[in-house]
Amino acid sequence: MTDRPYTDEDLRAAAALMHYALTTQPNPADADAVLNGHPAWANVEVGSDEEDELRESVVELVSGAADVSGWAVNIGADGLEPSPDVLNLDGDDTTVVRVHMAFHPDVSERDRQYFGLALAHVMANAL
């Protein structure tokens, strides 16, 4: 028992709510801040209909993004590093399962790759 009236889980839940709030209310100004100076958008004319459509497309993607706030907070709190590698199990014209991984910093790149390959094999034979 601690002297605190809250647990680590309470802190993580509050952090996840804060993360969610900060990432689910995008506005065009947020998109502008990200798009300005990005080389992929260098040829888009400022003030054009194309720029407006691009900005709205970015806002729509953020608005429709999955809430992974709890996952993100717990990864950070546990000292894990998200892997850029993603495993997908695809069905007829759609992704059926997607697995994102995070590892302790001490897990070698070789072991991360081995784990990913082993998990991919399990996934391929599971469904």
Side-chain angles (χ1 to χ4, degrees):
M1 184 78 180
T2 70
D3 293 336
R4 300 182 310 184
Y6 52 86
T7 66
D8 287 341
E9 289 78 22
D10 295 329
L11 289 173
R12 289 182 184 206
L17 288 171
M18 181 177 177
H19 184 275
Y20 176 78
L22 292 170
T23 59
T24 57
Q25 300 299 321
N27 64 54
D30 295 331
D32 285 339
V34 172
L35 298 175
N36 287 340
H38 192 286
W41 320 125
N43 295 324
V44 176
E45 183 181 338
V46 175
S48 68
D49 288 343
E50 184 181 17
E51 183 190 42
D52 290 342
E53 290 173 16
L54 174 62
R55 183 184 310 108
E56 286 304 313
S57 294
V58 169
V59 169
E60 284 178 27
L61 286 169
V62 171
S63 297
D67 176 17
V68 294
S69 300
W71 184 79
V73 167
N74 286 321
I75 284 175
D78 292 338
L80 302 177
E81 299 172 340
S83 170
D85 299 321
V86 176
L87 298 176
N88 290 314
L89 181 60
D90 296 324
D92 296 332
D93 299 322
T94 189
T95 299
V96 178
V97 176
R98 176 169 293 144
V99 177
H100 294 262
M101 297 173 286
F103 297 94
H104 188 276
D106 292 343
V107 176
S108 70
E109 185 61 33
R110 181 178 173 275
D111 287 345
R112 292 174 190 215
Q113 289 176 357
Y114 179 79
F115 179 82
L117 288 171
L119 184 56
H121 180 73
V122 169
M123 286 172 59
N125 293 310
L127 294 178

